[in-house]
Every structure is written in structure tokens, then in C-alpha cells.
Amino acid sequence: VFISCMFVAVALPLEFGVISWGPADISVCAIRKPYGDKIAYWTAIGNLVCDAIFFVDMIVSFFQAYWEVQVRGFPRWHLVKESDKICVHYLKTGFIVDLLGQIPFHYIDCIVENSSDGIALLHMLRMLKLLRLYRIRQAIKALYTKFPKSRIYITGLELLLTLYLAAHWLGCLYFFIGVAKDGWVSLQRGILEAAPNGDLELDMDNFGFAYMTLIYWALTTMTTIGYGDIVARTSAEKTFAIAAMILGCAFFAWVTGRITTVVTDQPAGTRRFDEEVEATRGFLRAYGLPDAVAARIRGVQMLKNPLGSLLDETRLLRDLPETLAGEVLTELLRDVIEHSP
């Protein structure tokens, strides 16, 4: 599912902003083989495969048990296996987004081959599939939970992924705006060629060069370097370039804050938990315990501390009056007391 989401995140903006300016005889229907270019064909096949994966994932989500952290008293992992709770949970969380992303607007080319305004508008609705990208965020959060000690490396991966996707989307949109008379794309050699009707269209033989050019523009603009070799000419291009520069400044401010938070702003409980995990790894290396035993020990640590934080409850309770400490313990162990005879 993660790979499918990444494919959608790359392919849809590329289809909308770049491939849509290709020769008029290219179809993006994955059922009827498009004639004219293999890039459009394999992109369409990829969309078809991703749709099948997403559909199966929707069905499985109605039956797949899930873990949740219960905070009634001490935090504990709880496996939800009841079918009615699983269905309600999915309906309340990701079902609507998944359903909107599954509407097959991009298969209109398999039925209608004209390019009227109404069909073009329905083509734009294909971008609703990007709603499913919340799964990428879920996968990254799962990595943080599974590998708490590798927080810095996971954050670096997250930032690089975000940077690439932001540059990719901005570049595709800027390309879409720039394919016009006297636009920036028309001034770049080897990207456009004359169509039989006299208009300009994308030279699919130089598709790789066109893609590298738009990524190059996006990165130089977001980083405010701007070498000046690709210049906005029309009002639409200048307006979009201004927005891209503002977004770039905001993005790198977010990156700086994100890195600072990960490196310096860790709660005391999280630091203690990381130290405990590191001490356990040292113990496992020193005594050479089997990998299966090591995995079970790490699993127990995560099970006992589902929030990734090691709090010193004993010290807190020791500093409280006896009556108040008893009330706190009663609340923390309430789920156990309720099930005791």
C-alpha cells in the first residue's frame, strides 16, 4: 500500500501537468493499450494495479484487527478483534477518504475519447486519489513506533521524501502553466515540438529531459537559489513562482524546526526510555543472546511502554501523601480492579 501511495503521489501530478501536453493521440486508458507512447501506457498500467491494491485494502480494512493504546490507568496495548468495532473504527477514520480516492474518474478515457471541457474537468477530479496519501504518514508514524532509537534517521527520510514530493508537485504545476505561447517551456530546447495542427506539444522522446528540467526549477526556486536560466515570463508563471518561493521559505523553516525538535526537545520520559533501549542493546551485544530472544525482549519493552516514554511513577507516588497516593494507584489500576472478583 505504501508503494502504491508513492506511485500515485508521483504519477497523478505527472499525468496532469506534463503528460497531458503530449501528442493528442495518446490515451491514458489502461484497458485499451494507448498508442503513441510507452510512458503513458505503463503509467496507466501502474494506476490500474494501484487501484486493485487499494480496493483489496479497503475490503481487508473492514476485517483487520488493530492495536490501540488504552490509557485507563497505566497505558496498555489492546488488540481490537471484534468485527463490529473494527468496522466502526474504519468508517470513522479512513473509509470516506479511501472511497473518494477510489472513484474511477481516470477511466473516462476508456469510454469517451474527446477533450471537451466537461471531460477535462472530470480528468482533474483524478487528483482526489491524492487523498489516500495519508497512508504514507501512517507508515512513517509506524516507523517511529517500531524504531524509536532511529528517530533522527526516520526524520531525515521523512524530510527528504517531503522535499521531493513538494518539488515534484510544484514542478508539474509550473510545467502545466508554462506550456503556452511565449511561456518558459517554449524557450527550452528539446522539450516541445510542433503538432500537426500547428500547436506545441510535448516531445515524448525527450520526456526525461523535460522532467529533470521541471525538478531543477522547483528545487532552485524552493531553495531561493534561482540561477536565472529558467525565467517566468507570463503573469501566471510569475504569480506561481512567487507562491513557490514563499512555500519554499515556509518549508525550510518547518525543516529547521522539525530537526531542532527531534534533536533537542525530547521529554524526560522519552529520554529515559531511549536510554533503557540503548542499555538493553548493550546487554544483548555483551552476552550474545540469540536474535529470537533479543526480539522478544525488545517486544516486551515496547509492550510495557506503548507511548515510548519511561515515567518514574514510584518516585512520584513516594512524594505524595499516603491517601492521595492510594487514590492515584486506584485510578491507574482501575481496569484491573474492575475485572477482579
Side-chain angles (χ1 to χ4, degrees):
V1 175
F2 176 81
I3 295 176
S4 298
C5 288
M6 285 300 304
F7 178 85
V8 168
V10 173
L12 279 184
L14 199 63
E15 289 180 8
F16 174 77
V18 183
I19 297 179
S20 60
W21 291 109
D25 61 349
I26 289 182
S27 169
V28 293
C29 175
I31 301 174
R32 181 181 63 252
K33 180 177 179 178
Y35 44 93
D37 185 72
K38 60 182 180 181
I39 295 177
Y41 173 62
W42 288 111
T43 301
I45 291 296
N47 281 325
L48 182 62
V49 173
C50 289
D51 286 339
I53 293 174
F54 287 147
F55 179 76
V56 173
D57 178 65
M58 286 184 64
I59 301 300
V60 172
S61 297
F62 280 105
F63 304 96
Q64 187 176 27
Y66 63 94
W67 289 94
E68 67 176 6
V69 178
Q70 290 188 344
V71 292
R72 295 180 57 197
F74 289 106
R76 290 182 175 85
W77 286 107
H78 174 66
L79 180 62
V80 179
K81 298 182 292 184
E82 296 80 2
S83 58
D84 54 340
K85 292 183 178 180
I86 294 173
C87 291
V88 171
H89 176 264
Y90 181 52
L91 290 173
K92 288 183 176 180
T93 53
F95 174 72
I96 299 298
V97 174
D98 291 347
L99 182 62
L100 290 175
Q102 197 65 17
I103 299 176
F105 292 111
H106 50 296
Y107 294 117
I108 297 172
D109 285 335
C110 298
I111 303 174
V112 181
E113 296 190 40
N114 63 59
S115 57
S116 63
D117 293 339
I119 298 300
L121 177 61
L122 290 177
H123 281 169
M124 293 181 64
L125 292 177
R126 292 179 296 179
M127 304 301 285
L128 287 173
K129 291 175 69 67
L130 295 177
L131 293 173
R132 302 198 64 140
L133 298 190
Y134 76 95
R135 292 298 186 91
I136 296 179
R137 180 58 184 166
Q138 287 183 341
I140 294 175
K141 290 177 65 177
L143 288 177
Y144 279 115
T145 302
K146 188 174 182 61
F147 306 102
K149 193 62 180 177
S150 303
R151 186 178 294 106
I152 295 179
Y153 302 107
I154 298 172
T155 301
L157 175 64
E158 179 186 6
L159 296 180
L160 288 175
L161 183 61
T162 305
L163 174 62
Y164 168 70
L165 290 180
H168 175 75
W169 295 348
L170 287 175
C172 290
L173 287 175
Y174 193 61
F175 191 95
F176 181 81
I177 296 173
V179 181
K181 186 178 181 181
D182 297 328
W184 74 270
V185 180
S186 62
L187 301 179
Q188 304 295 314
R189 294 182 179 180
I191 294 182
L192 300 179
E193 61 181 1
N197 60 1
D199 296 333
L200 294 176
E201 63 183 18
L202 178 65
D203 183 2
M204 298 302 293
D205 293 333
N206 290 326
F207 179 84
F209 174 71
Y211 183 72
M212 289 301 300
T213 301
L214 65 88
I215 290 293
Y216 167 79
W217 172 88
L219 290 176
T220 55
T221 302
M222 290 177 63
T223 56
T224 65
I225 295 175
Y227 291 111
D229 50 346
I230 299 178
V231 182
R233 296 176 58 86
T234 66
S235 297
E237 291 174 5
K238 292 178 179 180
T239 301
F240 186 81
I242 292 172
M245 285 183 278
I246 295 174
L247 180 62
C249 293
F251 174 78
F252 282 100
W254 173 74
V255 168
T256 303
R258 191 82 174 83
I259 294 176
T260 302
T261 300
V262 171
V263 174
T264 64
D265 191 22
Q266 276 191 332
T270 303
R271 288 197 300 269
R272 281 196 293 269
F273 179 72
D274 290 344
E275 293 171 358
E276 183 73 18
V277 171
E278 187 61 30
T280 302
R281 289 180 177 175
F283 171 81
L284 297 175
R285 287 194 298 266
Y287 290 94
L289 294 178
D291 293 340
V293 176
R296 290 170 62 187
I297 292 175
R298 289 193 293 267
V300 170
Q301 284 185 318
M302 295 302 300
L303 185 63
K304 292 178 60 179
N305 303 279
L307 302 180
S309 179
L310 191 61
L311 301 177
D312 193 354
E313 297 94 350
T314 304
R315 179 179 178 182
L316 174 63
L317 294 173
R318 187 174 61 243
D319 294 337
L320 294 177
E322 183 177 351
T323 303
L324 181 57
E327 293 180 6
V328 172
L329 280 174
T330 301
E331 289 298 326
L332 292 177
L333 300 174
R334 180 172 295 278
D335 56 339
V336 177
I337 296 174
E338 289 178 350
H339 292 84
S340 299

